[in-house]
Amino acid sequence: MRDDDLTFVELVQRDLHSVRWPEPAEIRARARRRSRRTVVAAALAVLAVASGTALVEAGRAAGPTSAVGDGGPTGTVAASPVAPAPSGRADIPEAVLLEPRDLTVKTGVRLGDTGLAEPVRVDRQLESCAREQGIYLQPTVSRYSRSRILLRPVAGASGDVPVLSQDVYRVDPPWGLGLFGDIDRMLAACPQWQTSSLLTQAGRTVTAETEHRWEPAVTGFAGDQSVMLRHVTDQARDQTSGKAVGPAGSVDVTLVVRLGDLVTVIVPGPGTIEDRVDGSGPGLSYAQLEALGRVAARRLCGAANPGC
């Protein structure tokens, strides 16, 4: 009988009779071999991912592969350098911060905060002045940060007048050194700086000019590197008449201390220091501020990489 005389079902039945079915033992053996191939393939895939991760980490540990462009505000960054995380402590414990007992000025409430990848801020007005003068600043970004504000006790209130604010940053070693270089460049560019603003006095709005001056009051008094910045803000003057307007002039002081990979920025609050535009007043002297900087450096010892 020819194939075209058979029905479809008869063809299927005839072909099934000619099929050789493997024995149960052979089926189980094939299944075991297939399972082993699957496991090996999965293991190779995991190994490939792990190897790729190791290569990436090795590239990071090798440090930056290209330099940051310098030479003014038009400088470009060829590649963001990634420095290796130093061994030892990574977080910033609360014990590194100054305590009320470290100050001769009475304090009240303590406020605190923590952060990740925060830029190290020294003096925002000084930074603005430097950029206006064409100084290119590469921001120093911390890996971890911790801050504290000590408030002055006020009778009948919760106390919202700051006595002192402190920020502690953990930075990669190359950037900690560069921070003080940036401070020197900013000070050199901004011995004086004038700003304009609108002030309302006696119901009249005038354009007022304010002169700012910065200088390093003291250097090298604590830690591996340290500087105390003195910022004088003169009383504003009416641009038209030249008369003094607005609040009286003021003096602000900022302490910057580095120990290992930790940098702390300490800013005494208004009225906390004895230095005044119009003479001396009650508060912390420069000698006491230097001593406070040394206390802050000792607090950093146990958490810095390397430690003391």
Side-chain angles (χ1 to χ4, degrees):
M1 181 182 294
R2 295 180 304 157
D3 286 348
D4 52 4
D5 294 332
L6 296 176
T7 65
F8 174 75
V9 174
E10 291 172 333
L11 286 171
V12 171
Q13 288 178 344
R14 192 187 69 178
D15 290 340
L16 285 176
H17 285 300
S18 63
V19 174
R20 176 186 173 274
W21 298 101
E23 296 296 326
E26 185 179 350
I27 294 175
R28 288 193 294 269
R30 289 181 182 179
R32 284 195 296 271
R33 286 195 297 273
R34 183 171 299 174
S35 298
R36 284 196 295 269
R37 286 196 299 269
T38 303
V39 171
V40 170
L44 290 174
V46 172
L47 180 59
V49 172
S51 300
T53 304
L55 288 173
V56 171
E57 294 299 328
R60 289 178 179 171
T65 57
S66 56
V68 177
D70 200 357
T74 58
T76 57
V77 180
S80 299
V82 179
S87 59
R89 292 298 298 268
D91 63 328
I92 300 178
E94 193 174 2
V96 305
L97 298 170
L98 292 170
E99 296 285 350
R101 65 176 181 270
D102 298 322
L103 282 74
T104 58
V105 181
K106 189 175 181 181
T107 66
V109 179
R110 291 182 294 180
L111 305 177
D113 196 8
T114 59
L116 294 172
E118 297 286 342
V120 179
R121 308 311 298 260
V122 175
D123 186 323
R124 293 177 185 269
Q125 283 189 314
L126 180 58
E127 293 172 8
S128 297
C129 172
R131 289 192 173 95
E132 189 176 285
Q133 309 309 314
I135 301 300
Y136 175 71
L137 301 174
Q138 175 72 23
T140 299
V141 179
S142 64
R143 293 191 292 122
Y144 301 92
S145 64
R146 183 179 287 274
S147 62
R148 170 172 289 174
I149 299 177
L150 300 177
L151 303 179
R152 189 186 305 275
V154 179
S158 60
D160 57 357
V161 180
V163 173
L164 178 140
S165 67
Q166 180 184 16
D167 297 299
V168 178
Y169 305 93
R170 190 178 297 283
V171 299
D172 291 321
W175 298 115
L177 295 171
L179 173 65
F180 283 81
D182 281 345
I183 292 174
D184 291 339
R185 295 166 61 208
M186 290 190 292
L187 290 174
C190 296
Q192 293 181 331
W193 187 47
Q194 283 192 341
T195 58
S196 298
S197 61
L198 295 177
L199 292 178
T200 301
Q201 191 168 11
R204 189 170 66 95
T205 301
V206 299
T207 301
E209 290 185 344
T210 304
E211 184 172 286
H212 302 265
R213 298 187 301 278
W214 285 276
E215 61 181 12
V218 191
T219 59
F221 55 88
D224 296 326
Q225 288 177 292
S226 56
V227 63
M228 186 189 305
L229 303 178
R230 183 174 184 265
H231 173 205
V232 180
T233 305
D234 289 340
Q235 187 173 11
R237 293 190 173 276
D238 186 338
Q239 194 176 47
T240 304
S241 65
K243 293 182 179 180
V245 293
S250 62
V251 177
D252 301 311
V253 170
T254 301
L255 289 79
V256 186
V257 178
R258 182 185 69 83
L259 187 75
D261 65 342
L262 291 180
V263 174
T264 184
V265 179
I266 303 168
V267 181
T272 304
I273 61 175
E274 69 176 19
D275 192 2
R276 302 286 193 277
V277 171
D278 56 354
S280 296
L284 297 170
S285 65
Y286 281 104
Q288 289 173 319
L289 289 171
E290 288 182 51
L292 185 64
R294 288 189 286 272
V295 172
R298 288 196 295 271
R299 292 286 176 84
L300 301 179
C301 276
N305 296 311
C308 300

